[in-house]
């Protein structure tokens, strides 16, 4: 028994080598685990960076889409507004050509009344009938916003009047309308025919 005990005892050097071998084995066991954890951390960092890049890209695309939607909305509003304006103009000025074609009739009635005033004899019945017809005609035009421009005594307005001539007049302000050859007309405030007028000017210095 003593001899067996002596054989199983280890020398100090053998014990040291055994400890070293055990430590090496432990390092081999823990090494792959630490490497795997490091790899997982690296992959997590890469995934986070990729997600941030994707998020930034998505935000940029969303901003572009919102800008495009706003532009499309603005264009649609402009088209709608222009369409409404066109409809309003069509309602207001759709009768312009028709009104223009009726103005010579009014002119003829007015000239007929002037001739009746200048003619000899009694034409009161005819004159009265023509006056009523002319009044009815003008009232009808007025219902459709056709207004007569008869600027006698008013300052000359190139937006509404067409000067046919100028005459010296000591009694009238220079630039005022002395006489109207042909009355003008507007439709909803827009000129459809200017008034043809004679304009006063200052007398020449003696």
């Amino acid at each position: 028994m003593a001899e067996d005990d002596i054989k199983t005892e280890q020398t100090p050097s053998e014990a040291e080598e055994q400890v070293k071998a055990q430590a090496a084995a432990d390092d081999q066991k823990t090494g792959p685990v630490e490497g795997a954890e490091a790899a997982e951390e690296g992959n997590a960092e890469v995934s986070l960076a990729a997600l941030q890049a994707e998020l930034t890209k998505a935000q940029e695309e969303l901003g572009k889409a919102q800008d495009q939607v706003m532009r499309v909305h603005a264009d649609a509003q402009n088209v709608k507004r222009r369409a409404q304006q066109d409809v309003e103009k069509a309602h207001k000025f759709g009768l312009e050509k028709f009104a223009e074609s009726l103005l010579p009739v009014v002119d003829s009635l007015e000239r007929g009344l002037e001739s009746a005033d200048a003619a000899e004899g009694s034409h009161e019945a005819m004159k009265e009938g023509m006056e009523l017809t002319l009044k009815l005609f003008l009232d009808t035009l007025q219902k459709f916003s056709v207004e007569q421009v008869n600027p006698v005594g008013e300052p000359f307005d190139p937006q509404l009047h067409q000067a046919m001539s100028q005459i010296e007049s000591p009694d009238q302000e220079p630039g005022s309308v002395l006489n109207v050859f042909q009355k003008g007309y507007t439709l909803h405030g827009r000129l459809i025919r200017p008034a043809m007028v004679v304009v006063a000017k200052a007398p020449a210095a003696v």
Side-chain angles (χ1 to χ4, degrees):
M1 291 293 296
E3 291 179 359
D4 293 337
D5 292 338
I6 293 171
K7 289 181 179 179
T8 56
E9 289 181 357
Q10 293 180 341
T11 64
S13 58
E14 290 177 347
E16 185 178 353
E17 289 178 1
Q18 185 176 0
V19 170
K20 290 181 180 179
Q22 185 65 37
D26 292 341
D27 289 341
Q28 290 178 354
K29 291 179 181 179
T30 57
V33 174
E34 292 177 354
E37 290 177 353
E40 289 179 359
E41 290 179 359
N43 291 336
E45 291 178 358
V46 172
S47 299
L48 180 59
L51 287 174
Q52 289 177 341
E54 289 292 332
L55 178 60
T56 301
K57 183 178 179 181
Q59 289 175 338
E60 292 177 354
E61 292 177 354
L62 177 61
K64 291 179 181 179
Q66 289 175 337
D67 183 63
Q68 186 175 5
V69 169
M70 290 177 64
R71 290 185 181 182
V72 170
H73 180 70
D75 290 342
Q77 290 295 322
N78 290 334
V79 170
K80 182 179 178 180
R81 185 171 60 254
R82 285 195 295 268
Q84 289 176 342
Q85 291 174 350
D86 291 341
V87 171
E88 289 175 1
K89 287 181 181 179
H91 283 307
K92 282 186 176 180
F93 306 113
L95 294 175
E96 184 173 354
K97 295 296 182 183
F98 178 68
E100 280 186 89
S101 65
L102 294 178
L103 298 185
V105 180
V106 179
D107 296 337
S108 296
L109 288 171
E110 290 177 338
R111 284 194 293 268
L113 286 171
E114 292 173 0
S115 299
D117 287 336
E120 296 181 357
S122 177
H123 303 284
E124 291 300 323
M126 181 181 68
K127 181 181 176 182
E128 183 178 353
M130 292 179 68
E131 287 175 345
L132 290 173
T133 302
L134 177 60
K135 184 178 183 305
L136 178 62
F137 216 119
L138 292 175
D139 289 345
T140 302
L141 289 175
Q142 194 172 25
K143 286 180 181 179
F144 293 93
S145 300
V146 179
E147 301 287 345
Q148 192 177 70
V149 180
N150 186 20
V152 175
E154 298 177 3
F156 175 76
D157 184 355
Q159 300 295 324
L160 297 174
H161 313 149
Q162 181 177 346
M164 305 302 294
S165 63
Q166 283 186 304
I167 297 178
E168 294 180 3
S169 175
D171 301 327
Q172 297 290 334
E173 287 289 331
S176 62
V177 176
L178 283 176
N179 190 22
V180 178
F181 285 140
Q182 189 179 67
K183 297 180 179 67
Y185 291 88
T186 61
L187 174 61
H188 287 286
R190 185 165 78 179
L191 187 69
I192 58 177
R193 191 180 79 179
M196 297 181 180
V197 300
V198 177
V199 183
K201 67 179 180 178
V206 179

